[in-house]
Amino acid sequence: MNNHFWYKHLGLPLLCSILLFSAIAYWQLDISLANYVYILEGRQWLYKDHWFFSTVLHTDARNLMISLLLIVFISLISSFFVPQLLPFRKAIVYLLLSTTLSALLITTGKHFSQIDCPWDLVNYGGKLPFISYFHARPEWMPDAQCFPAGHASAGYAWFGLYFLALKYCPQWKWLILGGILCLGLLFGAVQQLRGAHFISHDLATLTICWLTALLLYPLFFSGKVNRLITPFLNRKPLKHS
């Protein structure tokens, strides 16, 4: 991995993320955008329980992403029995690990961040005051788990596919990256329309998922795979008796 790779995939994206977070905080874009959407929906979260947004684009979409992850896991298990899958085992392990770890980091972040959803706030029909990221949460307020955005990670967690394309079929990398970004943006927009997240929640998810896929990439594809992992990756498929 040369300096150009790290500038392009770490330095530049991280700088953009920092600038966007700064802009959101300085101009209070979380509140401005939420206010606009809330007023546009008639001072209610019109789509919070709407079947298409709540069931199809949230529950069903999440279950579909879980099913795809399960397919990746089954592919890994199959690689120990199907010789044709052995050349793909490293890619499968990388994708499974980057996707799963991204989701776990988002879940862990939600547990410790103690940030409310818009629909819980008094300005948007809820009962709680708005507490910014930079202020301590009063002890009387209940636990909150809305930051980072969980549903957007169902799209952004697949950034590993971009890095696999970068390694094996670079002609497809931009198309795959664009598809992942569109999926994450769609899932994020759905939750913002439902009142479940602010825009900064989605940006945090995007950043975490990108960094996870990026930092795992050299471990698998720069020739420095951990010695404990190498025998597992190269183990021959089991022969049938």
Side-chain angles (χ1 to χ4, degrees), residues 1-230:
M1 307 297 170
N2 55 32
N3 291 337
H4 179 70
F5 171 86
W6 289 111
Y7 167 77
K8 184 178 179 180
H9 292 91
L10 178 60
L12 193 58
L14 198 56
L15 176 62
C16 290
S17 180
I18 293 172
L19 291 176
L20 285 172
F21 271 119
S22 300
I24 290 171
Y26 183 79
W27 283 295
Q28 297 185 328
L29 298 181
D30 273 344
I31 299 298
S32 298
L33 181 59
N35 285 346
Y36 177 77
V37 173
Y38 189 66
I39 293 172
L40 198 64
E41 294 182 18
R43 296 190 178 276
Q44 60 178 319
W45 296 114
L46 187 63
Y47 304 109
K48 180 178 181 180
D49 298 312
H50 190 280
W51 69 270
F52 185 69
F53 289 83
S54 177
T55 302
V56 177
L57 292 178
H58 183 254
T59 304
D60 292 346
R62 179 192 60 204
N63 291 340
L64 176 60
M65 294 299 106
I66 293 174
S67 298
L68 292 177
L69 187 60
L70 181 61
I71 291 173
V72 176
F73 177 73
I74 293 173
S75 299
L76 173 60
I77 300 301
S78 300
S79 71
F80 291 97
F81 301 93
V82 181
Q84 292 82 356
L85 290 177
L86 178 58
F88 304 102
R89 187 183 294 162
K90 181 186 290 189
I92 294 171
V93 173
Y94 166 73
L95 182 61
L96 180 64
L97 186 58
S98 65
T99 306
T100 304
L101 185 56
S102 293
L104 287 176
L105 288 173
I106 298 301
T107 301
T108 303
K110 288 166 68 71
H111 178 75
F112 288 103
S113 64
Q114 295 294 306
I115 300 297
D116 296 295
C117 305
W119 61 33
D120 292 322
L121 302 179
V122 66
N123 288 358
Y124 308 112
K127 299 179 180 179
L128 302 175
F130 175 76
I131 305 295
S132 75
Y133 300 117
F134 310 105
H135 292 82
R137 187 177 181 83
E139 294 184 359
W140 63 267
M141 292 181 67
D143 290 342
Q145 298 186 13
C146 285
F147 178 90
H151 191 50
S153 70
Y156 294 136
W158 295 93
F159 275 133
L161 288 172
Y162 163 79
F163 289 99
L164 290 180
L166 184 67
K167 175 66 177 180
Y168 296 110
C169 48
Q171 69 274 19
W172 291 99
K173 64 180 182 180
W174 296 119
L175 180 62
I176 290 174
L177 180 60
I180 296 168
L181 287 172
C182 287
L183 196 61
L185 286 170
L186 172 63
F187 290 161
V190 165
Q191 291 299 80
Q192 289 178 48
L193 289 173
R194 297 180 66 230
H197 289 294
F198 289 113
I199 190 172
S200 63
H201 300 186
D202 294 307
L203 178 59
T205 295
L206 186 157
T207 303
I208 292 170
C209 291
W210 177 262
L211 291 177
T212 301
L214 169 64
L215 296 178
L216 285 174
Y217 180 68
L219 297 179
F220 285 85
F221 301 107
S222 70
K224 299 178 181 179
V225 179
N226 189 289
R227 291 180 181 180
L228 294 176
I229 300 176
T230 301

